[in-house]
Amino acid sequence: MSTRRWLPQPMLSLLLLVVWLLLMNNFGLGHWLLGALLGVLIPLVTQVFWDHPPRIHKPVKLCLFFLRVLGDIVTANLEVAKLILGSPDKLQPAFFEVPMLLEDELALTMLASVISLTPGTVSADLSDDRKTLLVHGLNVVDEAAAVAEIKQRYEAPLLEVFTCSST
């Protein structure tokens, strides 16, 4: 039997194992075995729901992306706290559109989620053709700079992770 049959998504299986161990906060043998069992069974049971399973071409880059996002969330929390505790008259809330190069559904979902997880910004809508993401910012001084920052900090790494460089 092929490995792909029992491990249709090995990266997801590994991620499930790691998340299980971290959630349990116990690294005993029983938790390793149960985490591994869940890591095998969950992808097997859910594979019928994945029309086009995501292909992660640069997993290390994805890990670095998640670290960047965590750092940005902490920084944005501090910035939003400063803005809220300051004068509300100085806030410049605005909606702005970000043109999308991403085509992978998971990558688009991740980008929209990262934007919403980062305090001070919310993903509001994705156009029907999936080429434009509507974002609301709590304090948008320069719309072009906000768009450029999202594209550079978040979209570009996701493009690298989910796009095969040979195509």
Side-chain angles (χ1 to χ4, degrees), residues 15-84:
L15 177 67
L16 289 168
L17 171 62
V18 169
V19 168
W20 177 260
L21 291 172
L22 292 174
L23 285 173
M24 293 298 103
N25 198 24
N26 184 334
F27 298 98
L29 178 61
H31 286 287
W32 277 91
L33 293 174
L34 186 55
L37 181 66
L38 290 171
V40 170
L41 290 179
I42 291 173
L44 279 174
V45 171
T46 62
Q47 71 182 344
V48 297
F49 300 109
W50 295 82
D51 288 337
H52 306 287
R55 305 288 293 164
I56 299 172
H57 300 281
K58 296 184 179 181
V60 173
K61 186 83 170 177
L62 184 61
C63 292
L64 293 173
F65 173 75
F66 282 129
L67 290 175
R68 169 182 282 172
V69 169
L70 288 175
D72 287 353
I73 288 172
V74 170
T75 303
N77 268 304
L78 296 172
E79 290 174 7
V80 168
K82 187 170 72 172
L83 287 169
I84 291 173

Side-chain angles (χ1 to χ4, degrees), residues 107-119:
L108 282 167
T109 302
M110 287 176 66
L111 177 63
S113 298
V114 163
I115 290 170
S116 293
L117 284 171
T118 307

